[in-house]
Amino acid sequence: MEIQEMVMKYKYLIIFTFTVCILGAVIYVAPSFMTILAYFWPLFLSTALFLAAVVFFGKTSLPGTELSGDKAGEGLLDYVAGQPVGDELVVENFKNE
């Protein structure tokens, strides 16, 4: 029981020591910020240019006008979903003669 009492007496010191050792090892082993920046600069640059283009085209493009009073893309959705333009056309095409 002597050992447990000593450990409990110094538990905060032990936790602090382990924490400092682990953080010191991570800082020593981890690469520097400039190394990470040098490795990933093409990715950062391309992402920044893409976001700038999105903002630019979002502010400069004109809003779309609805051609036939339909909601935008409704005709395309009907085509993709397989809904025919008129039921009578489909029935006439598949009648047996």
Side-chain angles (χ1 to χ4, degrees):
M1 294 306 281
E2 293 177 17
I3 296 175
Q4 281 185 342
E5 291 173 4
M6 298 245 336
V7 168
M8 293 308 284
K9 182 178 178 182
Y10 296 112
K11 71 178 178 182
Y12 295 114
L13 182 62
I14 293 170
I15 292 171
F16 177 75
T17 305
F18 280 133
T19 305
V20 169
C21 288
I22 290 172
L23 287 176
V26 167
I27 290 172
Y28 179 73
V29 173
S32 68
F33 178 73
M34 290 307 294
T35 304
I36 294 172
L37 187 63
Y39 186 77
F40 286 109
W41 76 266
L43 177 66
F44 295 147
L45 179 66
S46 64
T47 303
L49 289 176
F50 176 75
L51 291 176
V54 167
V55 169
F56 174 76
F57 286 118
K59 290 186 183 261
T60 59
S61 64
L62 299 175
T65 57
E66 297 179 10
L67 296 176
S68 63
D70 295 327
K71 295 180 182 174
E74 186 175 316
L76 179 64
L77 287 175
D78 289 342
Y79 176 75
V80 171
Q83 296 175 355
V85 176
D87 291 336
E88 62 278 351
L89 295 176
V90 175
V91 173
E92 288 177 11
N93 289 338
F94 291 110
K95 284 185 179 178
N96 290 331
E97 291 187 42

